[in-house]
Every structure is written in C-alpha cells, then in structure tokens.
Amino acid sequence: MRIQLLPDQLISQIAAGEVVERPASALKELLENSLDAGSSDIQVALQQGGIKQIRVADNGAGVAKEDLQLALTRHATSKIASLEDLESVASLGFRGEALASIASISRTQLLSRQADAKHAWRIASEGSDVSVIEPAALDVGTVIEVSDLYFNTPARRKFLKTEGTEFGHCEEVFNRIALSRPDVALMLQHNGRALSRYAVSQPERRFAEVLGSEFAAESISLDESAAGLRLWGMAAKPTFNRNSRDTQYVYVNGRFVRDKLIAHAIRQAYQDVLHHDRHPAFVLFLELDPTLVDVNVHPAKTEVRFRDAQAMHRFIFHSLNKALASPTGASSAVTASQAGYNPFAQQPSSTPYPTYQSQINLRAGEPTGFYDTMFGTRASDATGGSASQLQYASPVCYAPEFEAESTLNQPQHSGEEYPLGFAVAQIHGVYVLAQNTQGLIVVDMHAAHERIMYEKLKNALDSKSVPMQPLLLPVSFNADKLEVATVQEALSANDDSLQQLGFDIAVLSPTTLAVRAVPTMLQSADVVELARDVLRDLREYGASRALTERRNELLGTMACHAAVRANRSLTIPEMNALLRDMEATERSGQCNHGRPTWFQVSMNDLDKMFMRGK
C-alpha cells in the first residue's frame, strides 16, 4: 500500500483516542480549562454518567469571538507559544489538543463571553462539521456542552461501561479537582440531581468534605520547605490504613499525577509503621520551579519527569518521615530549610529502623474454638487423638525429669507419616514451633495458612463448587458509586462471577451494599473488606479477565483475607491442624508471594549453636 496523508478528521479521532478514553477523561480536560481561565465558580452537570452529555459552566475569563474557531482546532492554544514556555509551563493544559479531540468525537457546543464583550458568542460542531459563530446570551464566563460522546465512532462507544460505572469515574475526576482547589466553588449534578456542592474553604475543610471527617480526624498536617521545594497537605496516621490505594492523591504544581518515584518515597516513609499489604491515605501537594519538572510526558498529563529525581525522592521521604515520626502526630514548627536540610546535596540513603521489644509468650493459649471455623475438623484429629490429648505437646527438652511428661497422652506416629512433626509452642503470635524426628520446625503461620486457603480456593473454583455460606444477618456497608455499579452491572447482565466466587451481594440503595453470603471457607474473614477487594478486582479487570488471566491474583487476595492473622493465639490442636494441612497441600513450602512458609533446624544445627560435644 502506498504511503498517504491521513484526513484531518481521522487524525483528530486518533488523537482523541489518546486523550479521551472515557467521559471522565473529557471532564478532566474541560475542568482544567476552566481552572486555567481563572474561574472561581464551576458547575458540572452530567447526563447518563457523562455518556449522553457533559456540561461545564464557569465564570472564568472567557474566549474572544475571534478565537472560538481556533478553540476547536488542533494544536491551537493560548497557554504556550515557544519551547521556553513548554519547559516552564505552569498551566494545567498546554497541548491544544483536548478540546479539538473531544469535538471530533461528539456534538459540542461552546458559549463564551469576556468581561468587555456586549454579549456572548456561540459555536457548535458535530464531528468535523463546524457551525458559524453566532450571538448568544450568557454572563461572563464559558459554558461547554459535550453530547453523545463517540456518536461517530461506535466501536469506541462499545467499550464504555454502564452509566453507574462511568459516573463513578467522572465523580473521581471531580473530587480530584475539588481537592486541588479549595479556593474554587464547585457543584456536581447527575441526571438533574445535585450530588456535591463545595463552597470556597480552607484546605483542611475541603479535604474533610471530599474524603470524609474520619480521614481528617485521623490525619496529620505537614508543611515542609527546603531549597525551593515545598511539600504540604495531610497524611493519614498509620492506624488509618486502607486495603487499596483509593485514598491517595498527589499533586505536582497543582496537577494530579501518578508518579512511581513519589509513590516509592511515600511507601518508604510509611514502611516502618505500616504492614506491607496495607496502604496509607494522603493528599499531598509538591510545589517547585516548573523548570525542574517535565509535564510533557504523556497526553493525559498524569505523568511527570523530574530533572533531579534523587533530590525529589529525598525531599519527599524526609518531609513525610519527619511528620510521621513526630510524637504528637503534628508537623514540626521548624521547617526543613530552617534546619539546614538540602535535598540536592548528597544524603545518607539508610533509614533508621526502630527496635521493638516485647515479652515472649510461649504458652499455646487457651482453647478459643477458633479452629472449629478455621480448620474444620482437622484440629481434633490432627494427630489422631482428641483435642484434650493434643494439649500435651512434647517439649523440646532432654532432661530426664521431663521424660514422663513428654510422652503423657502423646500419640506416637512415625516421622514419615507426619514430616512436619507436632507443635510445641507459638512465638509472638507469628511463628509456630514444632518438633519432628530431625529437630525443630519453624512455621510462619499466616504465610502457611494463606497458601492452604489459596490452593483450596483454586481447586473449588476449578471444579465450579465454591461452597457458599449464607450469613445469619446480612452485613451492609456504605459503598462508593463504583462498587455499587460493579454489583449492578453483574446483576443486570446476568453475570454469575460473584456466585462463582461464592458471594451473594445485593444493592440496598445507591450508597449501600449488603453481603448476604460468602465462601464457606472464608466465613471468618472481615466480610466488608473482603467484599471491597473482590469488587475492586472485578471492576478494574472485568469479570472475564478476573476469572481467567487474573484468577490467581484474585484468589490470592481472598486467601489473604481468610488466613489466620499475626498475633492470633492458637491452641496446640490448632497448630497441629495447620501442620497437617500443610503436609496435604501442594506448594505449601512457599506462600502465594514466594516467601518460605517453614524452616527445618536439625538437631546437629542446634547442637552446634550451643557447642554441645565440644
């Protein structure tokens, strides 16, 4: 085929594919245009999740009549004019592509009036067809209506989700803007109903309004400056941790970004105080000279590149780590710059780790009945005897006076029959100690149980027989719109993905879900957290992918919820039941994440430690 130039309309539609992934993408670009125009009041009205219509009205500077035609033209912008401008861009928009891309795949109407104009002017487009400019009635500012998104590209429209899902993404974009600009009043309507209204306020109040009063109450404020850099905002205390990254907002010079370097610095600041499978919550603003950061990395403008990445990492880690280390949970009154800290200078890369001391409790713990639900009947027959017999575990001891007690009511079995031996104690609620014919076995009980539950879930799902346990009382919880939409989508499409996984979840209201049944083997898990994680996977990857190529990750998440947690005191029967299940489970030597679940310490190794025989 000969090389040929593409038509302008096709070029615009290709560009639209990069910029306008869904209605939320278009809304983001329109809101950023309003902010760049200096608006102090922005009103958003959506129809059918933004699929039918997105309407954004602001009181900004407006667009001159002479520029209306250019506003819908690719690579036309008022925000930069040279390479120097691009390298120090301070506005949210600058490419001159967004509005033209949106107009190429929708029916768009733009009305605008500047302060010195006698009246407003209107221009409209339908795909590539642009109308003449005509007078209109409007106060100072701009109103843009984007209707029937993807009307002329039906293949792209098929990829859109349900109205509820698309609205959830739009609402998330709206909230990101609301968090970034507490000095701007914002209102959101959906299908004629006002859902969110934020008046101009102080940052802390806006954060509480958008993210909830609990976040505000459980967060610390920080404001650190050094060498022309500033990091400020609110970061949740480690106790207010999440099972997902849904409450993490980072802004660079007012622009919402997802940056791996920043995320890594924040994780490092929290690593001493937060369990690895939990996530912190925060709203953080990084301010720096625009010439030190490149925002022209991706069409969506959510990725950035720093001129001195190491200095940025050091500054963010130092500032957040300092705030989290404060005994009162408040940012220090002395800023980093006052203390003489310079992130651009070479700094030690090591981070001090606190030392924790606690008393060692070697008691197996009192019977709790927990193993009845966690291990089924295995706890009573783990060594072929009764639970009362199993309380007398053989101690690791050679003194003759303990010989009689060591065999009291202890069933005798060969090492080949039970290679992991029999439990003798539990350390710190984390490790199980057992003795076998070779010596000592040390087991990470959570990692081992997680592998057991994971393999059981895999086998059950493969055989399409995940047993479901109805709850005596359904557990209801406040859900966000995306979670509700995920359940509605499954129910409306006769999708049995939730049932396949052993769940029965119902929609009680636009903001409430009820869990009526869970997989039988997961009935001891936190029902709400478990349901949220499963719904998030189904939402992000779709039911088909979640149950096929993402199946193992999804089941691993479920298994982690079901596995016995650290600091759970187990009885000797429960420990022995765990050992027996490990022996009967494939790949039980490693957990789902590849970590070892147990170690063998031989008698020879123990003798060497204590220099016996020397």
Side-chain angles (χ1 to χ4, degrees):
M1 179 180 289
R2 299 287 301 275
I3 297 175
Q4 55 186 338
L5 291 172
L6 296 176
D8 288 341
Q9 173 67 5
L10 183 55
I11 293 173
S12 295
Q13 290 179 342
I14 292 173
E18 295 180 335
V19 177
V20 190
E21 180 184 359
R22 61 194 333 148
S25 307
L27 177 61
K28 169 185 174 293
E29 300 293 344
L30 299 179
L31 286 171
E32 289 182 349
N33 280 346
S34 292
L35 293 177
D36 285 340
S39 305
S40 61
D41 192 310
I42 304 174
Q43 299 185 9
V44 178
L46 305 174
Q47 293 289 336
Q48 298 178 17
I51 301 172
K52 181 64 177 175
Q53 187 179 83
I54 303 170
R55 185 180 190 272
V56 176
D58 65 51
N59 64 346
V63 181
K65 173 190 176 184
E66 298 77 17
D67 293 340
L68 283 178
Q69 185 84 36
L70 287 172
L72 301 181
T73 304
R74 294 182 68 235
H75 306 309
T77 179
S78 62
K79 297 165 187 177
I80 61 171
S82 65
L83 178 60
E84 290 74 17
D85 292 340
L86 179 61
E87 291 178 344
S88 59
V89 64
S91 59
L92 296 175
F94 55 86
R95 291 176 177 271
E97 282 186 328
L99 196 51
S101 297
I102 293 169
S104 71
I105 53 173
S106 67
R107 296 182 173 93
T108 301
Q109 177 176 256
L110 174 62
L111 293 84
S112 193
R113 178 182 178 184
Q114 294 187 311
D116 57 354
K118 294 181 179 179
H119 55 75
W121 295 93
R122 172 188 178 275
I123 190 172
S125 70
E126 185 169 329
S128 59
D129 299 328
V130 181
S131 72
V132 297
I133 299 172
E134 57 186 18
L138 184 71
D139 289 335
V140 173
T142 300
V143 174
I144 184 165
E145 295 179 355
V146 177
S147 304
D148 302 324
L149 205 60
Y150 300 121
F151 81 97
N152 55 355
T153 53
R156 290 291 306 277
R157 191 179 181 96
K158 290 179 181 178
F159 283 94
L160 296 180
K161 301 296 184 180
T162 62
E163 175 183 324
T165 298
E166 295 302 338
F167 173 71
H169 287 287
C170 287
E171 186 178 41
E172 175 62 16
V173 165
F174 179 84
N175 287 338
R176 288 175 191 168
I177 295 294
L179 288 170
S180 71
R181 295 295 300 270
D183 60 323
V184 176
L186 291 145
M187 186 185 73
L188 174 65
Q189 288 184 334
H190 186 225
N191 293 338
R193 292 181 55 209
L195 300 180
S196 300
R197 192 189 304 271
Y198 301 127
V200 174
S201 62
Q202 294 299 312
E204 289 79 5
R205 180 171 180 179
R206 177 65 64 85
F207 301 160
E209 288 177 326
V210 177
L211 300 179
S213 57
E214 187 180 3
F215 168 83
E218 295 296 323
S219 296
I220 55 177
S221 297
L222 69 151
D223 193 341
E224 298 288 336
S225 300
L229 307 178
R230 182 190 181 200
L231 183 71
W232 66 278
M234 296 184 75
K237 300 173 186 175
T239 50
F240 185 80
N241 53 69
R242 320 293 290 170
N243 64 346
S244 68
R245 298 181 179 86
D246 59 353
T247 314
Q248 297 184 350
Y249 298 88
V250 175
Y251 299 84
V252 175
N253 288 343
R255 183 191 310 279
F256 175 82
V257 300
R258 289 192 178 95
D259 182 77
K260 292 181 180 179
L261 180 141
I262 296 176
H264 185 267
I266 294 172
R267 280 200 308 272
Q268 280 204 323
Y270 273 95
Q271 68 179 354
D272 285 346
V273 291
L274 198 64
H275 193 267
H276 67 88
D277 65 351
R278 305 293 293 178
H279 302 281
F282 47 80
V283 183
L284 297 174
F285 296 83
L286 177 63
E287 297 177 0
L288 69 161
D289 187 331
T291 61
L292 298 179
V293 57
D294 182 5
V295 298
N296 188 30
V297 178
H298 188 274
K301 303 190 293 292
T302 57
E303 300 177 17
V304 294
R305 185 180 295 116
F306 295 105
R307 308 296 184 196
D308 191 337
Q310 290 186 351
M312 292 303 122
H313 189 283
R314 283 193 293 266
F315 172 66
I316 294 167
F317 168 78
H318 177 93
S319 302
L320 188 53
N321 187 58
K322 178 182 176 183
L324 293 171
S326 174
T328 60
S331 184
S332 172
V334 181
T335 67
S337 57
Q338 292 171 322
Y341 171 70
N342 182 4
F344 293 96
Q346 291 298 316
Q347 301 287 331
S349 58
S350 60
T351 304
Y353 292 88
T355 301
Y356 299 98
Q357 295 181 343
S358 59
Q359 294 183 348
I360 298 177
N361 179 12
L362 291 177
R363 294 190 307 148
E366 299 301 322
T368 62
F370 176 59
Y371 64 87
D372 289 333
T373 56
M374 188 176 77
F375 296 109
T377 59
R378 277 197 178 273
S380 62
D381 64 6
T383 60
S386 67
S388 61
Q389 287 176 312
L390 293 176
Q391 295 294 340
Y392 298 91
S394 179
V396 183
C397 184
Y398 302 108
E401 59 267 30
F402 288 102
E403 189 169 341
E405 182 181 347
S406 68
T407 58
L408 179 62
N409 290 328
Q410 179 69 40
Q412 301 300 311
H413 297 279
S414 69
E416 293 180 357
E417 186 177 1
Y418 295 117
L420 293 181
F422 303 96
V424 294
Q426 185 183 20
I427 298 179
H428 284 301
V430 176
Y431 299 105
V432 169
L433 302 184
Q435 78 170 28
N436 63 357
T437 56
Q438 285 77 42
L440 175 68
I441 295 285
V442 182
V443 178
D444 181 334
M445 66 181 193
H446 173 78
H449 193 219
E450 186 175 359
R451 168 60 74 176
I452 292 166
M453 300 306 296
Y454 176 61
E455 294 296 333
K456 286 182 177 179
L457 285 167
K458 281 203 303 184
N459 293 334
L461 188 60
D462 287 343
S463 62
K464 301 186 183 301
S465 61
V466 178
M468 185 183 293
Q469 175 63 53
L471 301 178
L472 185 62
L473 293 175
V475 178
S476 61
F477 62 97
N478 290 330
D480 62 38
K481 290 180 173 59
L482 287 176
E483 290 169 336
V484 173
T486 301
V487 176
Q488 288 176 328
E489 193 167 348
L491 296 176
S492 63
N494 294 319
D495 179 3
D496 64 347
S497 54
L498 287 172
Q499 287 75 17
Q500 285 187 56
L501 294 169
F503 289 89
D504 181 4
I505 303 178
V507 178
L508 297 186
S509 76
T511 59
T512 309
L513 293 176
V515 183
R516 300 189 294 201
V518 296
T520 301
M521 62 187 80
L522 274 61
Q523 59 184 297
S524 298
D526 184 321
V527 171
V528 174
E529 293 297 313
L530 174 62
R532 287 187 188 279
D533 275 356
V534 171
L535 291 176
R536 187 177 67 254
D537 271 19
L538 293 178
R539 176 178 76 242
E540 291 182 358
Y541 301 101
S544 178
R545 285 187 64 197
L547 293 175
T548 53
E549 62 190 89
R550 291 278 310 174
R551 182 197 72 153
N552 290 350
E553 288 84 352
L554 175 59
L555 296 183
T557 298
M558 294 169 61
C560 187
H561 278 283
V564 57
R565 294 292 179 183
N567 300 318
R568 167 66 103 168
S569 180
L570 300 183
T571 64
I572 291 293
E574 290 166 349
M575 295 183 225
N576 279 313
L578 177 62
L579 297 175
R580 302 292 78 82
D581 270 338
M582 290 174 64
E583 291 165 347
T585 301
E586 294 181 346
R587 297 177 289 276
S588 64
Q590 291 80 36
C591 75
N592 312 343
H593 314 292
R595 295 188 293 107
T597 59
W598 63 276
F599 282 103
Q600 171 82 63
V601 183
S602 69
M603 290 301 298
N604 286 336
D605 292 335
L606 290 170
D607 289 342
K608 289 177 183 178
M609 291 179 192
F610 293 95
M611 296 186 289
R612 289 176 62 88
K614 292 187 178 181

